[in-house]
Amino acid sequence: MDSYDENASVTRHKGNYTAMVVCWVLGNGCLFSWNSILTIEDYYGVIFPKYHPTRVLTLCYQPFALGTIAILSYREAKINTRCRNLFGYTLFFISSLSVLILDLTTSGKGGIVPFICVCAISGSFGVADAYVQGGMIGDLSFMSSELIQSFLAGMAASGALTSALRLITKAAFENTKDGLRKGAILFFAIAAFFELLCVLLYAYVFPQLPIVKYYRSKAASEGSATVMADLSAGGIKVQLNPRVQEDPKQLERLSNKQLLLQNIDYAAAMIMIFLLTLSIFPGFLSEDTGEHNLGSWYALVLIAMYNVCDLIGRYIPLIESLRMLSRSRLLLATLARLLLVPAFYFTAKYGDQGWMILLTSFLGLSNGYLAVCVFTAAPRGYKGPEQNALGNLLVLCLLLGVFAGVMSDWLWLIGKGW
């Protein structure tokens, strides 16, 4: 091992656990605001009863997210990652604050104009998601698998946390006047504060972490131009690896098309994972599972169980023996999940709430587990700039699957009328 590698290996392990915690919080911030809107669907269902808010808001969110990530993925190699992520988190904060201001301004009244405004804010969440999710996962793809796993677990934790908070606020305010709105306002305020925290965390803490500096320096030495601003913020001057200086051809990288063709199975798996999930969650679970003993709590419990199990599933790959690395097994497992569609249909029609809760739990568990397995397995064996590009491409596939799933979710309404 030469002196370059010796010095790098020492730096590499400094602050690893701190970095995992920071990545977890930043991942949480990537979806916290959006999950807050999804989790208060009972409130929006009351003030916008004619507009199918759970389905429509998701439909407004996805085209903006998909279109934005498509553009960003195409131009990924030339984009300043620091500016990209800071813009995304800042937009999350402004949008979260806008939801709160809108509700206070309209005094929680319904109508088409407030609903259009909520839809517009939902679209801005989609833009912010594309900036942050693609930027962060691309950045973390050339770092250790523990960091990207922590970020993905944080994304799932946002759903679990918002579900827990919603259950608490519903219990606290249910029997008070205008209780649903009070709980929703509390949600909006918490979301805005949390997104501001993420802006500050990414701007001042994340670039200073030794392990982050190490991996970004390594990526820059391999020809990545996206990390330069972050390295400057961390006080790092880039030095090329001596081996790269001797052989400049090592700076050459595969094109996005080549990366996609080499990882077409991972891309297909990512699309199918989220197509299946979003064709059921949250629209079907919120509107099409019937009335049961839990009453108005039923949809909230189902969403909470999905979110908690999604979070658990994202931690399973930390156990080496349970991590699925085989490309063929990942694709097979993804295809097997399609059996959940008839399972949910017949359970909603003939089963009781216990079976529906069990199915929903498995939906979340398998979603989280398979997503982490794909994101951590795909970048192996590539150079930093290629890993960054591949991370962005996989997020594009994820959002493509989400969009297709959201569209498929409307098929459950066939034969039921509007």
Side-chain angles (χ1 to χ4, degrees):
M1 180 182 290
D2 58 29
S3 59
Y4 180 90
D5 288 335
E6 289 176 354
N7 293 332
S9 63
V10 172
T11 306
R12 177 178 177 177
H13 298 289
K14 288 183 178 179
N16 188 41
Y17 292 109
T18 302
M20 290 174 66
V21 172
V22 172
C23 287
W24 188 90
V25 175
L26 291 174
N28 206 310
C30 184
L31 286 180
F32 192 89
S33 295
W34 173 241
N35 277 324
S36 295
I37 285 187
L38 288 184
T39 309
I40 60 165
E41 56 82 24
D42 53 343
Y43 172 60
Y44 281 142
V46 169
I47 64 174
F48 305 121
K50 298 180 180 179
Y51 306 128
H52 297 281
T54 303
R55 286 185 163 100
V56 173
L57 291 179
T58 306
L59 191 60
C60 292
Y61 176 96
Q62 294 307 328
F64 286 96
L66 183 59
T68 304
I69 192 61
I71 296 171
L72 293 175
S73 296
Y74 179 73
R75 300 184 58 84
E76 162 274 328
K78 300 179 180 179
I79 295 175
N80 182 320
T81 301
R82 180 173 176 81
C83 291
R84 172 180 176 172
N85 290 332
L86 281 176
F87 173 80
Y89 280 118
T90 302
L91 184 58
F92 269 130
F93 167 66
I94 294 172
S95 300
S96 301
L97 194 61
S98 298
V99 178
L100 176 61
I101 293 173
L102 175 66
D103 192 84
L104 293 174
T105 302
T106 61
S107 299
K109 296 179 180 179
I112 187 64
V113 175
F115 185 67
I116 291 174
C117 292
V118 174
C119 289
I121 294 172
S122 177
S124 70
F125 280 139
V127 174
D129 180 20
Y131 269 84
V132 170
Q133 191 173 172
M136 286 298 300
I137 289 180
D139 211 16
L140 295 174
S141 291
F142 57 74
M143 301 186 191
S144 69
S145 59
E146 288 86 357
L147 296 187
I148 192 169
Q149 184 276 331
S150 293
F151 182 82
L152 294 171
M155 291 175 64
S158 67
L161 287 174
T162 51
S163 292
L165 286 171
R166 187 57 187 143
L167 292 173
I168 293 171
T169 55
K170 183 175 177 63
F173 297 120
E174 187 175 28
N175 295 321
T176 63
K177 183 179 179 181
D178 208 16
L180 281 176
R181 181 167 179 257
K182 291 178 181 179
I185 288 175
L186 179 60
F187 250 80
F188 300 149
I190 293 174
F193 172 78
F194 191 81
E195 295 300 345
L196 178 60
L197 174 64
C198 288
V199 172
L200 300 175
L201 198 62
Y202 184 83
Y204 299 108
V205 178
F206 189 67
Q208 301 295 334
L209 297 171
I211 188 172
V212 173
K213 291 181 180 180
Y214 160 71
Y215 279 111
R216 282 178 169 164
S217 298
K218 182 175 181 293
S221 73
E222 294 172 342
S224 176
T226 63
V227 297
M228 295 304 181
D230 283 296
L231 288 171
S232 298
I236 299 294
K237 293 183 178 180
V238 179
Q239 294 182 347
L240 286 180
N241 187 319
R243 294 190 298 273
V244 176
Q245 290 177 320
E246 295 171 3
D247 184 12
K249 289 185 178 180
Q250 292 189 33
L251 294 179
E252 297 178 0
R253 51 154 288 186
L254 297 173
S255 67
N256 285 357
K257 182 179 179 181
Q258 290 172 318
L259 286 170
L260 188 59
L261 290 175
Q262 289 184 9
N263 295 275
I264 194 67
D265 51 343
Y266 286 130
M270 190 62 68
I271 291 172
M272 286 188 289
I273 289 169
F274 286 90
L275 187 158
L276 185 279
T277 298
L278 270 294
S279 67
I280 297 171
F281 174 88
F284 174 80
L285 296 181
S286 299
E287 297 186 11
D288 303 303
T289 52
E291 295 293 331
H292 296 277
N293 295 335
L294 290 172
S296 63
W297 289 80
Y298 187 49
L300 292 180
V301 170
L302 290 177
I303 291 173
M305 288 305 300
Y306 168 86
N307 286 323
V308 169
C309 290
D310 184 32
L311 174 60
I312 294 172
R314 298 188 186 214
Y315 277 102
I316 293 176
L318 285 178
I319 304 173
E320 193 68 28
S321 59
L322 297 180
R323 184 186 303 174
M324 190 182 295
L325 298 176
S326 169
R327 300 172 80 131
S328 59
R329 289 182 180 179
L330 277 171
L331 193 58
L332 184 61
T334 301
L335 290 171
R337 289 180 83 234
L338 295 175
L339 295 173
L340 287 172
V341 173
F344 270 98
Y345 174 79
F346 287 109
T347 302
K349 196 169 184 179
Y350 304 110
D352 59 20
Q353 60 191 25
W355 285 106
M356 183 61 72
I357 291 173
L358 181 63
L359 269 182
T360 303
S361 300
F362 182 75
L363 178 72
L365 191 73
S366 58
N367 181 84
Y369 173 75
L370 291 173
V372 170
C373 286
V374 172
F375 272 119
T376 55
R380 293 183 306 159
Y382 291 102
K383 295 182 294 186
E386 295 167 340
Q387 291 170 321
N388 192 354
L390 184 55
N392 276 269
L393 291 173
L394 289 177
V395 173
L396 173 61
C397 292
L398 183 156
L399 292 177
L400 182 61
V402 169
F403 181 73
V406 170
M407 298 299 295
S408 301
D409 185 43
W410 288 85
L411 297 176
W412 294 105
L413 294 179
I414 293 176
K416 294 186 177 182
W418 291 76

